[in-house]
Amino acid sequence: MSFAPLLRLVSMLLVALALSPSGAFAQLATGSAQVVTERVRAELLAHAPEGVAPGKPVWLGLQLAHQPEWHTYWKNSGDSGLPTTLEWTLPPGVVAGDIAWPVPKKIPIGNLANYGYEGTVLLPVPLTITPEFRPPLLGGNLDVKLKAQWLVCKKECIPEEGEFALKLPVQGSTGLHGANFQAAFDAQPQALPTSGSARVEGQTLKLEVPGLPAAARGQSLEAFPETPGVIETAAAWRQGWRGETWTAEIPLATHLGATPAQLPVVLASGDKAWRVDLPVAGTWPAASAAAAVSPGLEQALRANAAAAAVPAGGANLSLWAALLGALVGGLILNLMPCVFPVLAVKLVGFTRHGLDRRARRVGGLAYAAGVVLSFLALGALMLALRAAGEQLGWGFQLQSPWVVAGLAALFTLIGLNLAGVFEFGALLPSRVSSFQLRHPVADAFLSGMLAVAIASPCTAPFMGASLGFAVAMPPAQALLVFAALGLGMALPYLLASWVPATARLLPRPGAWMDTFRKLMAFPMFATVAWLVWVLGRQSGVDGAGALLALLVALSLVTWTLTLAGRTRVVLASLGLAAFGLLAWVAAPQLASPAPDAPALAADGRWEPWSAERVATLVAQDRPVFVDFTAAWCVTCQYNKQTTLANREVLADFEARRVSLLRADWTRRDPAITQALSDLGRSGVPVYVLYAKGRAPVVLSEILSTNELRAALAAL
């Protein structure tokens, strides 16, 4: 009995899951009041203690809870960084004010200093409800939408953003977060009733501020100018008291970015702060270009910017070259380890046809159609999601733990069927179990879909540049590239099914086929082991253990269904109940992020990738080799265990002081996706060698020792 009914029932569900944006790519930042990243938990809060009406106090606020050692920035970020920005969408008659910035702290970073926030901070914004506001007739809510952008930094800086939605009741009060807002109000500087003065003398800014409260007198104060690019933020400066007047002498910025006539300054002592507007006397030195963003940070931001430049290595490709590269890449894809299990399944079916020429030809056409149409569907979905703002690349479906778990279940059942544990005739109604006999064309078509679901994470030689070029092309031309890729992958099987000489190479059907079928079960189980390992990299050891337990329970249920009589009823019922209970308990572990993902390299030579880390090392005249990889990429693992573990290659890395960085794309990472796009690539593996004063060198997907050593020798 064939496994075709299983392909029909399971692979269609699996492909639907892989192609479902809501199933595989649901974003925390859409339609939610909270966004959680690895560095920040951002939440939109509201405070309307007297309801929503003209003249009533109504506040919104973005609360940022930082992981230890990470920080975001104040309105003047200091020597580097960018302030958080908020873009509101509100009903007519509702106006959002400016952020009421709490007092920041000075954050030293090397010989620089920034102004920002660590721990948890709330950025409150007042809403003005004008008489033009008309509450909705139904629902009685004020709909608030916010798009926020913030830069979060430790040693590296990562631009992040989120979209938030909130329904604020018009009637009644909203005061759940009153304590949060009160703490933010208390942290804001108070306006001083008196003014002071600021004078520019050479390269020094002299401040005099009278009228500070008695509690501040005699104390050392922190000074935060609201205008960026005026003072040398990290430089030592002098301050003192002349009676009740506070005085200070602060060095002007080396690269003066502003020459204001009025300088607002926040003065802080402990948890108290005051704001004063100082008129500036004297003559400013000639202003130079503002240096609010450091060169390294500027490069990191460019690398992570949403609008990428023309892909490197793709600009010189024509459409015809991209089509040819996709066709050849599809051909080579059949040799990738991730495709072998599906080809093994097809070999079993191929031997069944024997000398039936018509069955082989029809099956070959149907298989090719399934492959090409599946590539077109995946390509169209990827292009549509990228056009909608998603950062996706080739192989994106295996970035979803649910798709990985679904594939593991599918290949477990296929392996059990090939090994002879069960036959579909004993499990399913005769109409379903005889599906292949009645619909061989649909059986072959579904096999093509399954082949694409497994093969798509791989990137073969010639594929990378073509796919990277395709995502920047008009949709119609891009889909032609995906179709050529599918045609290349289906071509060997299509030719084999139509060339009569192929049939003469096949042994005649006989008892050997049963042995061959059982032998083919082991590539299926090897694929399951790989998929469990992939899920472990995504969801940690608990996720991998949960998947293993579910697969064992699934195997048990499958075996009980092969029994007969009352034994089948009792054991199958118990098995299904146990499987359901286990799924309810263990399934949440499948998609939970790994708490402490292990480093991709165990030898300590590699460090995590970031765009700013690359920029910093290159600026220090250190060559950088970046391995863009993923746990679900079999080609990546092959290269890692061969070329990248080669002693001669490692010796060359050490001799030339090459820094080794690894960009792990096992789970979705928009920064890595954008970096790949900037390099003209859309999937992994990608290997890049950076050196000061040189363009990045992108190496082959199947990385050879000779190629890598030659590239290193050219440094």
Side-chain angles (χ1 to χ4, degrees), residues 215-579:
R217 293 172 192 167
Q219 303 294 321
S220 292
L221 306 182
E222 287 284 357
F224 303 101
E226 293 185 359
T227 305
V230 172
I231 67 169
E232 199 67 44
T233 308
W237 54 285
R238 295 187 299 175
Q239 62 174 304
W241 290 88
R242 191 171 63 244
E244 297 182 357
T245 299
W246 178 79
T247 64
E249 295 183 6
I250 307 175
L252 292 178
T254 304
H255 300 284
L256 195 62
T259 57
Q262 290 283 131
L263 182 63
V265 178
V266 172
L267 303 176
S269 174
D271 58 353
K272 300 295 184 182
W274 305 270
R275 183 183 184 276
V276 60
D277 241 337
L278 303 177
V280 180
T283 303
W284 291 100
S288 59
V293 179
S294 65
L297 175 59
E298 184 178 358
Q299 184 166 345
L301 294 175
R302 284 200 305 267
N304 289 279
V310 177
N316 297 324
L317 281 176
S318 66
L319 174 61
W320 291 109
L323 291 173
L324 179 61
L327 184 68
V328 175
L331 281 167
I332 300 176
L333 200 58
N334 289 283
L335 304 177
M336 296 292 103
C338 49
V339 186
F340 177 73
V342 178
L343 294 183
V345 170
K346 292 306 299 176
L347 283 174
V348 175
F350 206 69
T351 55
R352 286 198 182 94
H353 290 310
L355 300 177
D356 188 345
R357 180 181 302 177
R358 182 179 180 278
R360 284 189 289 106
R361 289 182 172 179
V362 172
L365 289 173
Y367 175 80
V371 170
V372 173
L373 291 178
S374 297
F375 268 107
L376 285 172
L378 279 174
L381 176 62
M382 188 179 80
L383 293 172
L385 291 175
R386 287 175 70 102
E390 298 286 349
Q391 290 291 326
L392 300 176
W394 192 244
F396 62 92
Q397 67 274 21
L398 280 193
Q399 291 176 328
S400 165
W402 294 110
V403 175
V404 174
L407 284 171
L410 174 60
F411 276 92
T412 297
L413 292 175
I414 292 176
L416 292 173
N417 175 254
L418 291 174
V421 174
F422 73 95
E423 299 291 347
F424 283 98
L427 301 183
L428 302 174
S430 59
R431 289 185 179 181
V432 178
S433 62
S434 62
F435 171 78
Q436 184 192 31
L437 298 177
R438 294 183 292 111
H439 302 287
V441 175
D443 172 44
F445 181 85
L446 289 173
S447 296
M449 293 175 63
L450 179 63
V452 173
I454 290 296
S456 56
C458 289
T459 302
F462 301 100
M463 261 182 70
S466 295
L467 288 176
F469 187 56
V471 297
M473 298 169 66
Q477 296 182 11
L479 290 177
L480 283 177
V481 175
F482 286 106
L485 181 59
L487 180 61
M489 182 177 173
L491 197 56
Y493 189 83
L494 187 62
L495 291 176
S497 64
W498 276 76
V499 176
T502 307
R504 293 192 292 270
L505 299 176
L506 295 174
R508 294 184 177 277
W512 67 270
M513 291 178 58
D514 183 63
T515 302
F516 181 74
R517 169 186 163 175
K518 292 178 179 178
L519 177 64
M520 289 299 100
F522 291 96
M524 306 300 123
F525 294 137
T527 303
V528 172
W530 166 62
L531 289 168
V532 170
W533 177 76
V534 169
L535 191 101
R537 299 306 299 263
Q538 294 175 329
S539 303
V541 66
D542 290 341
L547 178 58
L548 281 173
L550 288 171
L551 294 179
V552 171
L554 177 64
S555 302
L556 173 64
V557 170
T558 303
W559 173 75
T560 60
L561 293 175
T562 65
L563 303 176
R566 183 175 299 176
T567 304
R568 170 176 175 162
V569 173
V570 174
L571 291 183
S573 299
L574 292 174
L576 286 170
F579 179 79

Side-chain angles (χ1 to χ4, degrees), residues 191-196 209-212 275-278:
L192 279 181
T194 61
S195 184
V209 181
L212 286 163
R275 183 183 184 276
V276 60
D277 241 337
L278 303 177

